[in-house]
Amino acid sequence: RIFVLTEAVAEVVGPWDPPDELADSARVAVAVAINNAMIGDSAHAEMLRAVLRRLGPGESDPRIAAQVVIMQSFDPTDGEAFVERLRDYADSEDHHLALSALLFLGFGLENMGDPSGARDAVERALLMVEPADGPWSRAILHTQAGQLAMQLGRVEEAVAHARAALPVLERLRAI
């Protein structure tokens, strides 16, 4: 649903220079818009990437900084280069950058026809999740891992991942 707003976000946020107290909110909004531009509106992705480059990753929240770094790297015209950057980020010593990169690497590899590689990335991310990452991080990874396991015909594995994810998704009202 949100990907239809990519153009509007690009037009409104593109020329805007947010005050310091709104910079993180702007970073999140633009990163989410770029993430959704991956789905269907790559025409405005470059304008949004330019906004992120201008804002930079910031220093107040390492999760936001990780998303900004990753979304700055997204190039709708070169998926393979983006996947290679994600592989590099996945090896980062920055926990948040590595964890986010592995999640996006899972999506990227799946979209490129490599569900086994995607599953490996997601399973690696699951091993990295810490309690401080919150319940959503583990749940979204279990959801993705379950879906990939089904693609690969690993039904019991898929069921185990679904059972791990469902209580959190229900509690967060995400289903």
Side-chain angles (χ1 to χ4, degrees):
R1 290 172 263 182
I2 194 169
F3 76 91
V4 299
L5 299 175
T6 304
E7 180 179 1
V9 171
E11 289 176 3
V12 170
V13 177
W16 181 49
D17 190 20
D20 290 343
E21 66 270 14
L22 297 178
D24 276 345
S25 295
R27 287 179 182 99
V28 170
V30 173
V32 168
I34 294 171
N35 182 25
N36 286 281
M38 292 178 188
I39 298 168
D41 183 7
S42 61
H44 297 91
E46 184 53 38
M47 180 187 284
L48 293 168
R49 288 174 59 210
V51 172
L52 283 186
R53 285 190 294 271
R54 192 176 74 238
L55 292 173
E59 297 177 7
S60 64
D61 188 325
R63 296 167 299 177
I64 293 172
Q67 292 303 307
V68 168
V69 167
I70 289 170
M71 291 300 109
Q72 283 176 325
S73 298
F74 170 64
D75 180 352
T77 65
D78 194 349
E80 290 180 16
F82 182 52
V83 164
E84 288 310 310
R85 282 186 220 107
L86 290 172
R87 288 183 199 281
D88 290 341
Y89 297 148
D91 292 331
S92 173
E93 291 184 23
D94 178 328
H95 171 78
H96 299 286
L97 181 58
L99 188 60
S100 293
L102 287 166
L103 174 66
F104 280 101
L105 183 59
F107 291 132
L109 290 172
E110 178 189 16
N111 289 339
M112 295 175 86
D114 183 4
S116 292
R119 181 185 162 278
D120 292 345
V122 172
E123 292 288 346
R124 185 173 157 203
L126 276 167
L127 294 174
M128 291 179 62
V129 176
E130 300 172 351
D133 296 321
W136 175 253
S137 295
R138 185 172 298 281
I140 193 68
L141 289 165
H142 275 298
T143 300
Q144 189 179 5
Q147 177 242 174
L148 290 164
M150 281 301 290
Q151 282 186 46
L152 295 167
R154 299 177 178 186
V155 176
E156 289 179 24
E157 185 179 323
V159 168
H161 283 296
R163 285 190 174 137
L166 278 172
V168 175
L169 297 175
E170 288 171 343
R171 192 171 72 240
L172 294 173
R173 299 179 190 255
I175 55 170

